[in-house]
Amino acid sequence: MILRKRQQEFVEKSVTALKQHGNTLGIAPTGAGKTLMLSAVVGEVLEPDNKALILAHRDELTSQNQEKFLRINPRISTSVFDSKTKSFAGQVVFAMVQTLSRKENLSIIPSFDLLVIDEGHHCVSPSYRNIIKEVKEKNPKAWIYGVTATPNRGDKKDLGDIFSNVADQIKISELVASGHLVRPRT
């Protein structure tokens, strides 16, 4: 699958920020292709002997993320850790937060080199923080990458504890102007 020019730019900025800071947040509206872009970022930065963990907050997002990831990275092995399947066998593991954050599951996670948080604004909730803590304890050099459409939380909690920078922000107006989204009507 070939990314659009603006998506590729988002990926390049994300990769650069990850290498520079060890963490970064990418912001893009619904419909921009965040899952495809995060998949491309993982494919760019993941070394052959490294492992990545991609978190989602719902089962259906876990399977959707895995499906889209394999369109971008068909040669990278994947596995799923959710309420039905509990496997860390893949080089990239797609996990549902509510399942992985249970104490008995946290205690068995392997070392990961990259933690990706889909819907990155959730990173400050206790379940996400517990996973982040465990990943960092097992590998203090693990990179953290998040993508979100909504970086400003309603409860005003700051994402700065997890992400020290924003790699890129795609705005709705950009996508409307380029013909990739229709103008919103309310």
Side-chain angles (χ1 to χ4, degrees), residues 147-183:
V147 294
T148 186
T150 54
N152 299 319
R153 292 175 50 99
D155 62 7
K156 308 291 185 215
K157 287 186 179 175
D158 184 12
L159 307 183
D161 290 348
I162 308 299
F163 304 110
S164 66
N165 67 96
V166 173
D168 195 6
Q169 180 173 6
I170 298 175
K171 298 189 180 208
I172 291 174
S173 59
E174 286 181 71
L175 297 179
V176 170
S178 67
H180 293 106
L181 284 182
V182 297
R183 184 172 304 286

Side-chain angles (χ1 to χ4, degrees), residues 7-179:
Q7 290 173 319
Q8 187 58 46
E9 182 182 329
F10 185 94
V11 169
E12 290 166 5
K13 288 180 177 182
S14 295
V15 168
T16 299
L18 269 172
K19 289 178 178 178
Q20 183 177 357
H21 302 285
N23 71 78
T24 196
L25 181 67
I27 303 167
T30 302
K34 286 185 295 297
T35 304
L36 296 174
M37 292 184 290
L38 80 78
S39 298
V41 169
V42 173
E44 294 259 338
V45 301
L46 197 63
E47 298 292 330
D49 58 343
N50 289 355
K51 283 182 78 77
L53 174 63
I54 300 178
L55 299 178
H57 68 285
R58 294 199 328 250
D59 273 337
E60 58 272 11
L61 291 178
T62 302
S63 58
Q64 286 173 16
N65 287 354
Q66 183 185 31
E67 179 185 316
K68 288 180 181 179
F69 181 87
L70 288 169
R71 283 194 225 160
I72 300 289
N73 303 293
R75 291 185 179 92
I76 297 178
S77 68
T78 64
S79 61
V80 173
F81 197 98
D82 63 14
S83 59
K84 297 176 196 144
T85 308
K86 293 182 176 50
S87 174
F88 291 117
Q91 185 179 9
V92 175
V93 178
F94 293 85
M96 192 181 71
V97 170
Q98 291 83 344
T99 303
L100 187 57
S101 65
R102 293 185 184 129
K103 284 183 184 181
E104 65 272 15
N105 294 332
L106 274 178
S107 67
I108 62 169
I109 69 170
S111 177
F112 287 100
D113 303 284
L114 174 63
L115 172 62
V116 179
I117 304 172
D118 187 14
E119 305 293 343
H121 58 280
H122 290 298
C123 71
V124 296
S125 72
S127 55
Y128 280 80
R129 283 191 178 272
N130 289 338
I131 294 169
I132 293 166
K133 180 179 180 247
E134 191 65 32
V135 166
K136 285 300 224 173
E137 282 180 4
K138 295 229 167 123
N139 181 1
K141 294 181 179 180
W143 288 353
I144 302 176
Y145 178 54
V147 294
T148 186
T150 54
N152 299 319
R153 292 175 50 99
D155 62 7
K156 308 291 185 215
K157 287 186 179 175
D158 184 12
L159 307 183
D161 290 348
I162 308 299
F163 304 110
S164 66
N165 67 96
V166 173
D168 195 6
Q169 180 173 6
I170 298 175
K171 298 189 180 208
I172 291 174
S173 59
E174 286 181 71
L175 297 179
V176 170
S178 67

